[in-house]
Amino acid sequence: MDDAASPQERPSPVVAAQPVRDLVAARAEQAVLTESEQDEIAAGLRQVYEEFIALRMHYQFGIDEVLTKVEILRKEFEQMHDYSPIEHVRTRLKSVESLMDKALRTGGEMTVRAIRERIHDIAGIRITTSFVADAYWIADILASQGDLEVLTVKDYIAAPKPNGYRSLHLIVQVPVYLSTHVEQVPVELQIRTIAMDFWASTEHKLSYKYEKNLPPALREELDDAARVANELDARMERLRGEIRPQAAPGGGSGLFSGRPGSPA
């Protein structure tokens, strides 16, 4: 997940048009287009670009809503229970350029509605915990909140990706109350331990540097590092009872009942 995007002012037409021209040029390299076809695509993309400016505002509000919930939990844990499972929180909102690029790569209609249906990581929040069980615990508590709907769950902790990536992914939907209507906004939650986050960050940087074509020696090192990170989490989990021997306060959704590392 990239660093949180800072608030941006609405770009001027000249600035907004440049990414559109670049995207059209990239698409033109893949197919032979007439000048009128390129102009038609450019006009459509410019309209979508302007709609994305408003769309990003809604997703930023969605991030703010979920982030408030997370911060409330963290403060409650710290002040009332003398222990917080939340170590770090980061947010990310895809830029318009990144969103349009992914929309083109994934194919389909270039409308805001169609893009929202097929791209689910426009807004994201990453929560880092100390222990594996705390990752499930936080997800379970958030899922139990009445105004937050869990749309999908991908448990890469119980079933890591082939490259060794481990994390808990949830797409949650939160209502955003605007002046004229209520917007239901999906937000991606990534919840992982410090060890998982360190490995994922390193793997991402190396994959970016080598354009996802890692040399075999580096791939082997990363595979071994994933094993070590997993072993570290297992060892820390055994020590967790010394830090928080009591059962977690409060209830939960039961979403992860019986899963590895789920809270007591």
Side-chain angles (χ1 to χ4, degrees), residues 93-113:
L93 180 65
K94 275 188 180 298
S95 67
V96 176
E97 292 79 6
S98 176
L99 183 54
M100 292 186 70
D101 180 62
K102 187 167 184 177
L104 287 170
R105 286 188 285 107
T106 55
E109 294 183 11
M110 288 297 293
T111 63
V112 168
R113 181 176 180 178

Side-chain angles (χ1 to χ4, degrees), residues 69-80:
K69 295 176 176 293
V70 174
E71 289 300 326
I72 287 174
L73 288 176
R74 173 153 63 177
K75 291 177 181 178
E76 179 197 356
F77 291 138
E78 292 173 348
Q79 297 181 29
M80 301 299 294

